[in-house]
């Protein structure tokens, strides 16, 4: 049974509600039988009717239970497919990103640098499209992590202008961002994705026109508006365009995937940012996103990725990956950053070639054939040999992150990783090796954070650590998916965790139930 699309969550909640009503009707019928138990002979006909009704209700109950279980299984199967697709598609993108960074280092003339910049933008566009497809599943499953922090809209607009200027130039559109001093409270990456989708949509439907992005205050909120003078949207289509794969007129020459606005709506619900539309056919549209303002004393976090720092001298970075193109590109990138590098095509090759006596840092692909990356680390740990390690993977799920962090890895990053972030992770792993805080201090802090959670939030935490998506958690706990997402957001805020791997690290430090984390 297929459960993709915008109606899956509503369908899930409707099934639960219908099942609850059926059970209530069954209980009422049984109560009526108990009340009439002493006068059965006089009420034989009524009792026969009640028995028939109970049989019907029991059949309905079984049918609804079977349907709910089928959708539950289908949802987990979809999550597995998305994880596999993520790994296979991110491998070549990682190699391309590394090679592009090396080209950028060697380019000397202006023409080459321009071409490399355009290549970088194209690679980012491919990665964004992949993320769009995969994030759709993550949002629906409730596995998209949220990190609310102060965000400078002016800095975010500058990044969006850089991302979309080539698209605007190619279409002959005039893309303008109005300057603003607004500081809002949101997840910078998810808000960027919302606005990027809306800007891309405006440029798509307003070629050779004008797209204006600006902000206006409204009480304690900032209203971010994207104006265009494109084809506009009819009132009867104003809601349909937010549905997945929906296109108002697929034959009008504006081909697309029909996912952008659906993801905007889903992310808006996830973040609590209201999304609205005003439009006049033939005269353009205005999409609005309402975001709460950050506290006056807040300072915006930098949007730029961290820069790599010099590594420890004499330390070999061992890169272990089964993809030759990834190995070659990473070796060139890491060597250019001043590190000593050795590459290995498998875990077995690494064990055969390396010397434990030599200082080392490991960059390990989790999805290796044969002995996988986690099995390798488990074996090293059992031998009492655990160099600073970074897991790099195309399958960034909670279960893999939990297993990696339990083994003592210092970082867990997804492919394709921007070269600057990858080099920063390597430098950081080398810098902090041997300087971790005492276990008692970490454990005490983690336990205090866990103790601040409500009983319901603890239940949700246990289910999240088992890798269950929000839909399934809601079904198991008898609450709505939206309620689960609210508990998740509150849980992340109270614990101060900015990502699911960070939450897993916190749970491990607090020494929560070992079986929960092992699963």
């Amino acid at each position: 049974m297929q459960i993709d699309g915008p109606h899956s969550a509503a369908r899930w909640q409707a099934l639960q509600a219908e099942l609850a009503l059926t059970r209530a009707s069954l209980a009422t019928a049984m109560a009526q039988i108990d009340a009439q138990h002493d006068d059965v002979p006089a009420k034989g006909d009524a009792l026969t009717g009640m028995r028939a009704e109970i049989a019907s209700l029991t059949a309905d109950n079984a049918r609804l239970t079977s349907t709910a279980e089928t959708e539950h299984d289908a949802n987990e199967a979809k999550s597995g497919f998305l994880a596999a697709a993520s790994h296979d598609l991110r491998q070549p993108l990682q190699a391309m990103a590394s090679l592009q960074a090396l080209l950028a280092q060697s380019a000397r003339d202006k023409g080459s640098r321009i071409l490399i910049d355009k290549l970088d933008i194209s690679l980012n566009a491919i990665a964004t499209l992949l993320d769009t497809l995969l994030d759709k599943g993550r949002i629906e499953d409730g596995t998209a992590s949220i990190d609310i922090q102060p965000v400078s809209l002016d800095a975010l607009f500058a990044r969006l202008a850089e991302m979309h200027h080539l698209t605007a130039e190619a279409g002959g559109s005039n893309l303008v961002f109005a300057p603003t001093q607004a500081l809002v409270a949101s997840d910078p990456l998810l808000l960027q994705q919302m606005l990027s989708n809306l800007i891309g949509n405006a440029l798509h439907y307003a070629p050779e026109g004008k797209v204006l992005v600006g902000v206006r205050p409204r009480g304690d909120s900032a209203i971010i508006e994207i104006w265009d003078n494109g084809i506009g949207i009819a009132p009867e289509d104003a809601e349909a365009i937010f549905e997945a794969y929906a296109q108002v007129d697929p034959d009008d020459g504006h081909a697309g995937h029909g996912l952008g606005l659906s993801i905007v709506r889903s992310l808006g619900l996830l973040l609590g940012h209201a999304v609205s539309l005003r439009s006049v056919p033939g005269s353009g549209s205005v999409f609005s996103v309402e975001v709460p303002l950050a506290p006056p004393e807040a300072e915006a976090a930098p949007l730029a990725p961290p820069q790599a720092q010099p590594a420890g001298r004499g330390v070999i970075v061992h890169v272990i990956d089964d993809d030759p193109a990834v190995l070659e590109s990473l070796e060139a990138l890491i060597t250019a950053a001043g590190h000593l590098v050795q590459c290995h095509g498998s875990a077995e090759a690494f064990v055969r070639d390396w010397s434990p006596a030599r200082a080392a840092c490991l960059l390990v692909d989790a999805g290796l054939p044969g002995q996988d990356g986690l099995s390798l680390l488990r074996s090293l740990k059992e031998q009492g040999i655990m160099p600073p390690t970074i897991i790099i993977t195309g399958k960034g799920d909670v279960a893999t992150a939990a297993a990696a962090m339990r083994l003592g890895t210092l970082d867990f990053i997804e492919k394709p990783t921007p070269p600057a972030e990858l080099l920063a992770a390597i430098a950081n792993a080398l810098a902090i090796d041997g300087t971790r805080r005492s276990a008692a201090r970490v454990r005490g802090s983690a336990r205090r954070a866990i103790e601040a959670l409500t009983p319901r939030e603890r239940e949700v935490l246990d289910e999240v650590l088992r890798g269950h998506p929000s839909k399934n958690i809601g079904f198991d706990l008898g609450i709505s998916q939206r309620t689960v997402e609210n508990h998740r957001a509150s849980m992340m805020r109270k614990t101060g965790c900015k990502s699911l791997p960070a939450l897993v690290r916190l749970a491990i430090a607090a020494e929560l139930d070992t079986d929960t984390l092992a699963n």
Side-chain angles (χ1 to χ4, degrees), residues 19 48 50 75 88 122 139-140 168 174 196 209 228 265 283 288 300 361 365 398:
L19 187 57
T48 300
M50 288 181 186
N75 190 59
D88 292 343
S122 297
I139 294 165
E140 289 181 352
N174 184 18
S196 180
D228 70 68
R265 172 65 61 84
S283 299
S288 301
C361 170
D365 182 8
V398 175

Side-chain angles (χ1 to χ4, degrees), residues 196-226:
S196 180
N197 285 3
L198 291 173
I199 293 169
N201 189 73
L203 292 172
H204 188 69
Y205 287 98
E208 301 182 1
K210 183 173 183 178
V211 175
L212 171 65
V213 183
V215 183
R216 59 185 179 86
R218 179 191 290 170
D220 295 331
S221 300
I223 311 299
I224 306 172
E225 295 182 334
I226 295 89

Side-chain angles (χ1 to χ4, degrees), residues 30-39:
M30 293 300 296
Q32 291 175 352
I33 288 178
D34 290 339
Q36 299 179 21
H37 182 269
D38 296 333
D39 196 18

Side-chain angles (χ1 to χ4, degrees), residues 13 32 37 57 106 113 132 148 154 190 225 297 359 369 371 374 387 391 412 420 428 434 442 456 459:
Q13 294 172 0
Q32 291 175 352
H37 182 269
L57 291 172
S106 61
R113 288 195 297 270
T132 296
I148 301 297
D154 212 38
L190 298 184
E225 295 182 334
E297 69 278 5
Q371 184 180 21
L374 297 185
I391 287 289
F412 181 88
N428 185 57
V442 173
R456 178 62 86 184
E459 291 180 324

Side-chain angles (χ1 to χ4, degrees), residues 303-360:
L303 295 177
Q307 297 300 312
Q309 300 297 321
R313 300 184 65 178
V315 178
I316 296 178
V317 179
H318 291 271
V319 183
I320 310 170
D321 198 296
D322 63 307
D323 189 318
V326 172
L327 279 179
E328 184 178 356
S329 60
L330 288 179
E331 180 181 19
L333 177 68
I334 299 170
T335 300
H339 303 284
L340 301 174
V341 182
Q342 284 189 4
C343 293
H344 314 272
S346 67
E348 293 82 359
F350 164 74
V351 172
R352 183 178 62 249
D353 297 340
W354 89 303
S355 171
R358 183 75 181 269

Side-chain angles (χ1 to χ4, degrees), residues 6-25:
H7 302 298
S8 58
R11 171 64 176 158
W12 188 264
Q13 294 172 0
L15 280 172
Q16 293 186 69
E18 189 176 349
L19 187 57
L21 287 174
T22 300
R23 288 171 175 164
S25 299

